Amino acid sequence: MDSALLIHRIHFAFTATFHYLFPQLTMGLALLIVVLKTIGLRRNDPIYHQAARFWAKIFGINFVLGVVTGIPLEFQFGTNWSHFSRYAGGVIGQTLAMEGMFAFFLESALVGLFLFGEKRLSPKGHWWTAVAVFAGSWLSGYFIVATDAFMQHPVGYYTDADGNLQLASFWAFLLNRWAGWQYAHTMCGAVTTGAFVMTAVGAFYMLSGKFLEHARVFIKIGVITGCLFSVLQIVPTGDRQGKLVTDLQPVTLAAMEGLFQGQEGAPLVIVGQPNEEQGKIDNPIVVPKMLSMLTYRRWNANVRGLDAFPRQDWPGNIPLLYYSYHIMVGLGTFFIAIMALSGLLLWSGKLYSARWMMWILLLSAPFPYIANTAGWMTAELGRQPWVVYGLMRTADGYSKFVSAGNGMFTLLGFMGMYMVLGILGLFLVWREIEHGPDSDQLVELNAAEAV
Amino acid sequence: MASVWFWIVAVMIAAYAVLDGFDLGAGAIYLIAAKTNDERRRVLRAIGPVWDGNEVWLLTAGGTLYFAFPRIYASSFSGFYLPLMIVLWLLILRGIGIEFRAHIDNTVWQDFFDVVFSVSSILLAVFFGAALGNVIRGVPLDSTGYFFEPLWVSFKLEERIGILDWYTALTGVMALVTLAAHGSYYIGLKTDEDLGRRARGLALLCWPVQFFLTFMTLVSTYFVRPEIMDNYRQHKAGLLIPAVVVVCLGIMLWANPKGKEKLAFAASSLYITFMLVGAAFATYPVMLPARDHRYDLTIYNSAAGAHGLSVGLVWWIFAAVLAVGYFVFMYWMFRGKVQLEGGH
C-alpha cells in the first residue's frame, strides 16, 4: 500500500478512535443524569441529586476531552482527505455543518449552565439544562452517523459535470435507512458504556465500604439501564444493522463472518482464525446453518462467500475486520449475560451483598469501550476498499499533496498529545471517584472558573 | 446564491474573530495582567462559561465552508496542512489549560496550566493572523486546484513561498496585538480593582502599536496584492468600511481612559469585524486567491450544487437564530463584573 495512504488512514483512525472514548461515555451519561435528576425531583431525594452532581463532574471532564479531541476530526476531512472532501463535500458537508449549527451551539452554550449554574437556576430550570445537554449530544451523534451512513450507503445525491457529488434530495440523504439503524445501534452502545461505568463505580464503593447509599443508586440505575440497552443493542438494532450489511454490502458480510466459500445453509463461525492464504477458518467452532438463518431468515438460504466477489472489492484487511466483528458480538453477548444475572439478583434483593458480582461488575467497565471501538472498526473496515461505498475508493480520497513525511509528523504529534490527555483524564476522573459523591456543596462554589 | 454563502462564511469568520478573539486576547495578556491566583481565577471565570461556545464559531464556519464551497475547503485545509495541525494542537492545549487548572488546588499544577493557556493563546492569535495573511496574499494553487505550503521558505515573496514570510508574519503580529487589545478591553469590562485597571492600562499601551500595524498592514497589502483596490475603485460605497475602521480606532482611544468600558469593547469588536469585512469585500468574488490568477478559487468555480445551497440556507437561518438565542441567554446569565463568591 502507498505509504502516504496508509499514514492518512491511520491518522484518521487513530484520532477518531481516541476521540470516541469520550463521547460514548458522555452521551450515555447524559441520559443517565437526566434519569437521576428526574427521580431526584419527583421523590425530592437528596441522594439522587448528589448522584447527579457527581456524574455531572465525571461528565464534565470527559466532555472537555471529547470537545478538544473532536475538533481535529472536523478539520481532518480537509487536511488529510481533501480529494474525498472535494468529491463528496457538497453532500456530507451538509450534515457536518448541521452538527455544528444545531448541536455544538446548543451543547456549548448549555453545558456551562448545566455544570456550573445549579445555584443560579431553579431545580426545574436546571433539569431543563440537563435535558438540553442530553438532546444536544444525541443530536450531534445523529449528524455524524448520517455522514457515515452516506459513506456506507450513498443516497440522495447526483454526480455533477465535474464528476463531484451534489445533494439531490435533502431528506433522502438525511433519513438514509442505514443511518436510522446505525444510529440506534450506536446510541445503545453509548448507553451501555454509561451504564457499565456507573455500575462499576457503584460496585467499587460497595467493595470499599464507602458511600453505600450512593453506590446502591448507581448500581440500581446502572443495572436496569444496562439490562434494557444491552438487549436493544442486539435485538433489534444489531440484527437490523446486520441485515442492512447483508443486503447492501454482501462482500463485507462474507468477510466479517469469515465465509470464504458461499454455500446453502451457511454456518456461523463462533471461534476460529481466518486463514486468507488458504481461504478457510483454522480450528473453527461453528453453529451449523445459523448464518443463513440470521441473514435471510431461512435455514437453507444461500449466503454468498468472498469467492462470489472480485478480489479488488474485498475489504482490505479481512483478519482485522473479522476479529473486530467477533469481539463486538462476543462482548455484546457477554454484556447481556452479566446484566441479566445482575438484574435477577437485584430483583431478588441479593445483589448488593453479592461481593463476587460486585467484582465482576467492577472489572467489566473497560469492555463496553472495547466493544464500541470494535463496532466502529467493523463498520469502517467493512466499508473498505471504498471511502464512499461503490463510488470512490479510499486510495483515491486522501490528500495527494500532503506527503507521507508531513502526515507522519502530525500523526506522531497527535499520538504524543493524546497519550498526555488520556493520562490526565484518568487521573482527574480517579480523583473525583476517590473524593466521592456525598458533597452537598453546589459545584459553582469551587469550580465555576473551571467551566 | 453562492454570493450569499460567501458573505455568510465571512460573517461567521468575523463572529469567530470577535468572540473567540476576546478570550484568546485574555489569554495573551493573562500572565501580565493577572498576577495573583485570585486574579487569574477571575480572568478564567470571565471567559470560562463562554469560550467553548465562542470556539464553536470556528467549527461551524469551517463546516459551512465545507458544504457550500467543498473545493475551497479541500484545497485550503490540505494546503495549510501544517499550520492547521499546529492550530489544532494549540486549541487542545488551550482547552485543557482553561478547564483543568481549577481541578487541583496546587500552585505547581496551576502555574503549569497558566503558562499552557497563555502561550497557546498567543501562538493561536499569531497563526490565525498569518492564515488570514496567506489568504490575502494568495497561495501557490496550480491547475490541479491544490497546493502545499511548507511553514517557511525564505521569508521573501519569491517563486516558492511558505506559510510565513515577511507579510504573513506582519499580519500574524497584527492579529496578536489586535486580540491582546480586544482581550484587554473585555477583561477591563468584566473585572474591577487592580486587575481591571491593569487590563485597561494594557489596552492603552496596545493602542499606538495597533494603530501603527493597521497602517503598515494596509500599505503592505497594497504592495503585495495591488488588485485588492479594484473592488473599492468600482464601488465607492466600500470606502465606508475603512472609514468605520478609523472611527473605531478613535473611539477605542477616547473611551478607554474615560472608563467607558462597554463602548471601548464594542468599538474593538466593530474594528475587528470591519477589518475582516473589508478584506472580504476586497477579494470578492475570489475566496482563495492563487499567486497565478488563472487558478483563483472563486465562488463561481467552487460552490456546491444549487439544491444543496438552497436547502442549506433554510436550515442555516433557522439554526443561526437559535444559536444567537443561546448566546444572548448565556451572556445574560453570566452578565456583570466577575465576583469570586465564597472563594477557597
Side-chain angles (χ1 to χ4, degrees):
Chain A
M1 198 188 292
D2 185 346
S3 70
L5 169 62
L6 183 64
I7 284 168
H8 287 300
R9 284 185 66 186
I10 295 176
H11 206 287
F12 205 100
F14 170 73
T15 48
T17 305
F18 187 81
H19 166 67
Y20 196 63
L21 295 175
F22 306 106
Q24 61 177 293
L25 182 67
T26 51
M27 289 188 295
L29 282 183
L31 175 69
L32 289 165
I33 290 171
V34 170
V35 171
L36 289 171
K37 286 194 73 75
T38 309
I39 299 175
L41 267 183
R42 292 202 137 194
R43 297 195 192 154
N44 203 12
D45 184 339
I47 297 291
Y48 278 87
H49 283 301
Q50 288 169 5
R53 263 171 232 139
F54 171 78
W55 285 105
K57 286 187 207 164
I58 308 283
F59 175 95
I61 295 165
N62 281 275
F63 183 81
V64 171
L65 291 168
V67 167
V68 297
T69 57
I71 299 169
L73 297 176
E74 191 103 358
F75 279 53
Q76 278 179 80
F77 285 98
T79 50
N80 298 75
W81 294 90
S82 61
H83 285 62
F84 159 66
S85 289
R86 181 197 272 202
Y87 177 69
V91 184
I92 63 164
Q94 291 265 344
T95 36
L96 290 174
M98 287 172 85
E99 186 196 22
M101 293 295 297
F102 285 105
F104 290 162
F105 275 132
L106 173 65
E107 262 184 307
S108 64
L110 287 176
V111 87
L113 273 177
F114 165 62
L115 292 177
F116 306 109
E118 191 167 354
K119 227 172 59 172
R120 289 169 192 249
L121 295 160
S122 66
K124 255 281 171 47
H126 192 247
W127 181 84
W128 275 109
T129 63
V131 172
V133 167
F134 161 69
S137 63
W138 280 50
L139 199 60
S140 168
Y142 186 78
F143 290 122
I144 288 302
V145 167
T147 308
D148 184 59
F150 182 81
M151 295 162 69
Q152 300 280 357
H153 174 53
V155 288
Y157 69 92
Y158 69 93
T159 308
D160 71 10
D162 294 335
N164 295 323
L165 303 184
Q166 300 295 352
L167 193 67
S169 163
F170 178 74
W171 293 112
F173 162 62
L174 195 65
L175 303 177
N176 189 342
R177 66 180 160 136
W178 189 291
W181 286 113
Q182 189 182 8
Y183 178 65
H185 192 56
T186 308
M187 289 298 122
C188 288
V191 178
T192 304
T193 298
F196 268 82
V197 169
M198 187 173 281
T199 316
V201 172
F204 173 73
Y205 288 148
M206 275 292 173
L207 290 169
S208 323
K210 290 194 296 190
F211 310 117
L212 298 178
E213 277 180 288
H214 302 89
R216 284 190 204 101
V217 169
F218 295 173
I219 293 171
K220 184 160 85 187
I221 300 292
V223 167
I224 294 172
T225 320
C227 275
L228 185 63
F229 282 85
S230 60
V231 171
L232 290 175
Q233 186 75 52
I234 295 202
V235 189
T237 65
D239 176 60
R240 296 303 297 259
Q241 184 66 37
K243 194 86 183 69
L244 284 172
V245 175
T246 307
D247 294 343
L248 301 171
Q249 299 181 351
V251 58
T252 304
L253 178 86
M256 270 158 55
E257 301 283 0
L259 188 70
F260 288 95
Q261 283 85 31
Q263 51 191 290
E264 289 176 7
L268 184 72
V269 180
I270 306 292
V271 172
Q273 305 80 254
N275 183 333
E276 220 180 328
E277 292 76 7
Q278 295 175 19
K280 66 185 185 64
I281 301 284
D282 288 338
N283 53 266
I285 300 176
V286 303
V287 183
K289 302 199 179 192
M290 196 58 176
L291 184 58
S292 291
M293 185 61 193
L294 287 176
T295 49
Y296 295 103
R297 310 288 190 254
R298 284 183 292 112
W299 294 110
N300 282 318
N302 180 36
V303 182
R304 281 178 291 170
L306 283 166
D307 59 352
F309 303 94
R311 185 106 200 188
Q312 78 263 20
D313 290 347
W314 291 15
N317 195 335
I318 289 175
L320 188 57
L321 171 59
Y322 168 94
Y323 289 123
S324 301
Y325 171 68
H326 279 78
I327 288 169
M328 171 186 78
V329 174
L331 286 176
T333 316
F334 170 71
F335 298 155
I336 294 183
I338 292 180
M339 282 299 173
L341 184 57
S342 306
L344 280 175
L345 289 169
L346 180 70
W347 186 54
S348 59
K350 292 175 192 152
L351 180 61
Y352 302 129
S353 51
R355 282 185 75 83
W356 58 275
M357 195 68 221
M358 292 297 120
W359 271 105
I360 294 178
L361 288 172
L362 170 62
L363 295 176
S364 297
F367 291 105
Y369 287 99
I370 297 174
N372 272 289
T373 304
W376 276 109
M377 286 173 68
T378 307
E380 306 314 309
L381 288 163
R383 173 169 44 79
Q384 306 301 328
W386 306 96
V387 64
V388 184
Y389 205 80
L391 295 175
M392 181 186 234
R393 284 181 185 267
T394 309
D396 299 325
Y398 71 93
S399 296
K400 300 287 166 79
F401 293 81
V402 176
S403 66
N406 280 314
M408 179 68 93
F409 168 62
T410 58
L411 174 60
L412 292 174
F414 273 109
M415 285 179 162
M417 182 154 298
Y418 283 6
M419 190 179 74
V420 174
L421 290 188
I423 293 170
L424 270 177
L426 281 174
F427 170 64
L428 290 174
V429 168
W430 168 247
R431 280 185 84 250
E432 293 299 342
I433 293 174
E434 208 181 17
H435 185 239
D438 67 345
S439 157
D440 259 331
Q441 197 183 21
L442 296 189
V443 189
E444 184 163 44
L445 280 182
N446 53 16
E449 71 264 38
V451 177
Chain B
M1 182 57 81
S3 306
V4 173
W5 284 104
F6 174 93
W7 285 108
I8 287 179
V9 172
V11 166
M12 291 178 86
I13 290 173
Y16 172 71
V18 168
L19 292 170
D20 211 30
F22 74 68
D23 62 64
L24 283 166
I29 62 161
Y30 180 67
L31 294 177
I32 312 169
K35 303 280 188 201
T36 65
N37 185 39
D38 266 8
E39 288 176 349
R40 293 193 172 167
R41 285 174 58 212
R42 277 196 284 165
V43 173
L44 289 173
R45 195 178 278 193
I47 64 168
V50 294
W51 76 271
D52 182 24
N54 295 344
E55 205 168 288
V56 171
W57 284 97
L58 176 68
L59 283 184
T60 49
T64 304
L65 181 71
Y66 190 7
F67 96 83
F69 303 99
R71 188 179 290 248
I72 291 168
Y73 171 81
S75 297
S76 59
F77 275 53
S78 62
F80 296 142
Y81 184 85
L82 292 169
L84 281 179
M85 288 291 166
I86 294 169
V87 161
L88 287 172
W89 296 339
L90 292 169
L91 286 173
I92 293 172
L93 288 173
R94 184 166 176 274
I96 60 168
I98 299 172
E99 295 291 333
F100 285 171
R101 179 189 191 273
H103 274 274
I104 293 179
D105 199 5
N106 170 297
T107 45
V108 177
W109 174 274
Q110 295 181 343
D111 287 350
F112 172 73
F113 282 108
D114 282 344
V115 173
V116 167
F117 165 54
S118 189
V119 171
S120 55
S121 300
I122 291 170
L123 290 175
L124 275 169
V126 173
F127 266 96
F128 284 133
L132 198 66
N134 269 269
V135 171
I136 293 168
R137 178 204 62 194
V139 294
L141 281 161
D142 60 21
S143 58
T144 60
Y146 289 100
F147 68 98
F148 185 86
E149 282 186 69
L151 287 174
W152 61 79
V153 179
S154 66
F155 290 92
K156 293 180 203 145
L157 281 168
E158 291 172 340
E159 189 63 21
R160 288 183 60 241
I161 50 174
I163 298 294
L164 289 175
D165 53 40
W166 67 265
Y167 175 72
T168 58
L170 175 68
T171 55
V173 174
M174 154 90 184
L176 174 61
V177 174
T178 302
L179 295 188
H182 192 50
S184 304
Y185 292 124
Y186 181 75
I187 295 301
L189 168 67
K190 291 294 284 184
T191 66
D192 44 20
E193 299 167 354
D194 286 350
L195 173 60
R197 265 197 299 281
R198 237 176 270 137
R200 287 190 290 274
L202 278 170
L204 206 58
L205 268 180
C206 286
W207 194 90
V209 187
Q210 189 180 1
F211 181 81
F212 173 70
L213 285 174
T214 307
F215 178 74
M216 286 286 290
T217 310
L218 293 180
V219 172
S220 335
T221 302
Y222 182 72
F223 281 104
V224 168
R225 206 155 160 253
E227 59 280 25
I228 204 93
M229 290 307 292
D230 293 353
N231 279 347
Y232 287 101
R233 284 195 196 99
Q234 278 177 21
H235 307 279
K236 292 282 188 285
L239 291 171
L240 278 173
I241 299 171
V244 173
V245 167
V246 173
V247 170
C248 286
L249 276 171
I251 296 177
M252 281 148 72
L253 180 64
W254 175 77
N256 182 33
K258 287 237 190 285
K260 298 186 187 297
E261 299 140 358
K262 283 183 184 160
L263 185 62
F265 179 69
S268 177
S269 304
L270 264 187
Y271 165 84
I272 294 172
T273 308
F274 274 78
M275 284 293 277
L276 291 170
V277 166
F281 180 82
T283 54
Y284 179 89
V286 178
M287 284 192 90
L288 187 62
R291 298 293 291 164
D292 178 341
H293 288 310
R294 283 176 300 167
Y295 306 123
D296 280 349
L297 291 181
T298 68
I299 62 169
Y300 305 114
N301 65 18
S302 304
H307 179 65
L309 291 184
S310 330
V311 173
L313 198 59
V314 175
W315 64 250
W316 190 90
I317 291 173
F318 180 61
V321 170
L322 282 177
V324 170
Y326 308 143
F327 270 76
V328 171
F329 178 61
M330 182 171 60
Y331 279 86
W332 181 76
M333 284 298 294
F334 293 98
R335 67 194 176 279
K337 301 247 184 211
V338 172
Q339 303 297 334
L340 289 183
E341 70 269 21
H344 280 280

